[in-house]
Amino acid sequence: MNQEEKILEFDKIKQLWQEFAFTESAKLRITQTVPFLSELELTKELRETSESRELLEKCGNPPLVSLNGVEEILKIASKGECLAPFQLEQISAALVATSRLITYLNRGKAYRNSLTYYAENLDDLAELKEEINAAVCNEEVIDRASSRLQDIRRDIQRSEEKMREKADQVIRSNKECMSDSFSTFQPVIRFL
């Protein structure tokens, strides 16, 4: 931190600002922020700040949500690795948040606010969101996600039923050797 930042108490401003940040990457960007030394750049940023305040006054608070973890999930996906169901649901939630932000910004276009044109740089990837929602529910891939998966899970269920019937048959045929006259199965966590 240089002398000018100390005089301006810029570190205290950054600390207050970080309290409003939703993600670690936003907090990092705030930490790396330095005061503007160019009057032209400062004027541009002040105009954006004024437009932001105006948008808040006319359209209310923007529908912002925390996107913590999404950056890591995107890195995993970009490597071609498989995502877990809970990660897919996080991506779907981020896409819902993006859709809401686009709607909010489009509403602000009625006030001819230049910030609202940021909506043109956003894509809600509606098809991807629908695919995720059709395949994943409550952090679990549902049977109907694909016909192959449905067949596999149906085969697993039949095999479990056959094992249960076979165990019951063995218990009935050997009653004198058994302390209980029933069988139980522990639930199995499946990743298919």
Side-chain angles (χ1 to χ4, degrees), residues 60-138:
N61 287 330
L64 299 177
V65 296
S66 175
L67 298 176
N68 271 337
V70 171
E71 206 169 326
E72 291 81 23
I73 294 170
L74 293 176
K75 285 178 187 175
I76 292 168
S78 68
K79 292 178 188 175
E81 295 180 26
C82 189
L83 298 179
F86 77 92
Q87 292 170 319
L88 290 169
E89 284 187 332
Q90 274 187 285
I91 294 297
S92 177
L95 294 175
V96 167
T98 303
S99 296
R100 290 179 180 157
L101 184 58
I102 290 170
T103 302
Y104 173 84
L105 291 172
N106 286 334
R107 258 192 343 216
K109 285 182 181 178
Y111 303 108
R112 293 196 168 104
N113 190 310
S114 65
L115 290 180
T116 59
Y117 292 96
Y118 281 121
E120 294 173 7
N121 297 325
L122 299 174
D123 189 354
D124 64 353
L125 302 173
E127 292 175 14
L128 176 61
K129 180 177 57 182
E130 288 176 21
E131 279 190 49
I132 291 172
N133 292 338
V136 180
C137 183
N138 297 325

Side-chain angles (χ1 to χ4, degrees), residues 167-180:
D168 288 341
Q169 183 182 15
V170 168
I171 289 172
R172 281 193 299 273
S173 64
N174 297 307
K175 282 183 182 178
E176 64 278 350
C177 299
M178 302 291 177
S179 62
D180 292 323

